[in-house]
Amino acid sequence: MAAQKNLGKALITGASTGIGAIYADRLARRGYDLVLVARNGKRLEELANRIKAATGRSVEVVVADLNDKADLARVEANLRADGRITLLVNNAGVGAVTPLLDTNVDKMEELIRLNILALTRLTYAAVPGFVARGAGAVINIASGVALAPDWLNGVYGASKAFVLAFSQSLKTELADKGVTVQVVLPGATATEFWSLAGRPVEHLPQQIVMSGEDLVDAALAGFDLGEFATVPSLENADEWDAFEAARQALRSKLSLSKPASRYGKTH
């Protein structure tokens, strides 16, 4: 049955499988037409056909490797040119689980380009149009390791800490411009991510692994609630509020004219 609402278009990166594919399904059912971006054209076409049959929504497929400058530029141009795009879901990313000393630095450079550079450039492409139209939303998929970079590979954790910090800055800058920003911080999720990173999800304690469907449904519920940061497994939202309050309390102490007394007398 076709959805009755029309919420514009959602552009989703990393959409061929896992979290991105679930976002595509859920957003189409909510009333969005879709622009699906990923490298695997066969999977994208199969997903697009399933969603069109189930929802009646329009689904565009963009086969692109966001680590390729020309492909990334094509997606940026799409975001700038298509005024019907009202939601950007920055989901594309890769992970790493090995320690720094055991990791190929060229692979880490690729991770940085996808997890940080592509996300940043796509956001820069989308947001000016959202601001000009006075409406739009950006959902950035970070990770719980943004708060615990010592859990997995440090470069991966740092890339997700960037996503959190970038999202915090965007939220502040766009607060009065009609643009919503949400950052999602999943824990371990039952997708291909873990196998691609080198540690199959079956090797993890199952009590820490959430299904992709539960993750996306929780994230969208958080979006509906107006949450900036959604941690799908966090039962007590007051704990995030306390964390954020502690961070805010430090702000006035981060830049002062004199060193702290514990560092002794200075000359």
Side-chain angles (χ1 to χ4, degrees):
M1 180 183 295
Q4 298 302 308
K5 292 187 291 184
N6 190 330
L7 300 176
K9 290 183 183 177
L11 188 146
I12 307 165
T13 66
S16 62
T17 188
I19 292 170
I22 299 166
Y23 261 106
D25 173 81
R26 299 304 196 260
L27 291 174
R29 294 178 188 279
R30 283 176 170 234
Y32 286 92
D33 291 327
L34 303 177
V35 182
L36 305 181
V37 180
R39 292 181 300 176
N40 191 317
K42 182 175 184 293
R43 280 185 169 181
L44 278 181
E45 290 289 354
E46 291 171 351
L47 176 64
N49 289 336
R50 290 198 303 271
I51 290 174
K52 285 187 283 189
T55 69
R57 304 309 311 183
S58 169
V59 185
E60 301 170 34
V61 166
V62 179
V63 180
D65 179 354
L66 297 181
N67 257 335
D68 179 273
K69 286 185 178 181
D71 282 3
L72 178 58
R74 281 195 296 114
V75 181
E76 291 177 55
N78 191 337
L79 282 165
R80 284 192 291 266
D82 192 342
R84 287 200 61 227
I85 295 175
T86 57
L87 172 61
L88 169 63
V89 182
N90 276 314
N91 168 71
V94 293
V97 298
T98 53
L100 181 145
L101 295 178
D102 298 329
T103 306
N104 183 297
V105 69
D106 292 330
K107 292 294 185 184
M108 293 300 94
E109 183 178 345
E110 292 177 7
L111 182 154
I112 290 166
R113 287 203 304 267
L114 182 58
N115 292 10
I116 296 178
L117 180 60
L119 178 144
T120 302
R121 292 192 66 93
L122 294 178
T123 303
Y124 265 73
V127 165
F130 293 168
V131 171
R133 296 186 289 274
V138 179
I139 298 175
N140 288 329
I141 308 301
S143 168
V145 299
L147 304 176
D150 49 331
W151 271 358
L152 299 173
N153 175 278
V155 177
Y156 173 63
S159 76
K160 292 304 185 178
F162 171 89
V163 175
L164 174 58
F166 182 55
S167 300
Q168 286 169 323
S169 177
L170 279 175
K171 173 180 175 288
T172 300
E173 184 174 342
L174 302 176
D176 61 349
K177 294 178 171 58
V179 181
T180 299
V181 179
Q182 182 196 30
V183 61
V184 182
L185 293 93
T189 308
T191 67
E192 292 181 356
F193 168 93
W194 287 93
S195 294
L196 295 172
R199 183 182 297 170
V201 71
E202 293 80 12
H203 295 182
L204 299 175
Q206 289 308 292
Q207 66 268 26
I208 72 167
V209 179
M210 186 176 292
S211 73
E213 291 79 8
D214 282 351
L215 162 64
V216 173
D217 289 341
L220 286 172
F223 184 78
D224 293 341
L225 289 169
E227 289 184 349
F228 161 64
T230 296
V231 184
S233 60
L234 185 64
E235 179 62 30
N236 185 355
D238 290 343
E239 292 181 289
W240 177 269
D241 294 340
F243 169 80
E244 179 62 13
R247 187 182 72 85
Q248 293 289 345
L250 282 174
R251 288 171 59 120
S252 64
K253 304 174 179 67
L254 295 176
S255 181
L256 297 172
S257 61
K258 295 182 180 180
S261 60
R262 69 179 177 280
Y263 300 124
K265 185 177 180 180
T266 60
H267 299 281

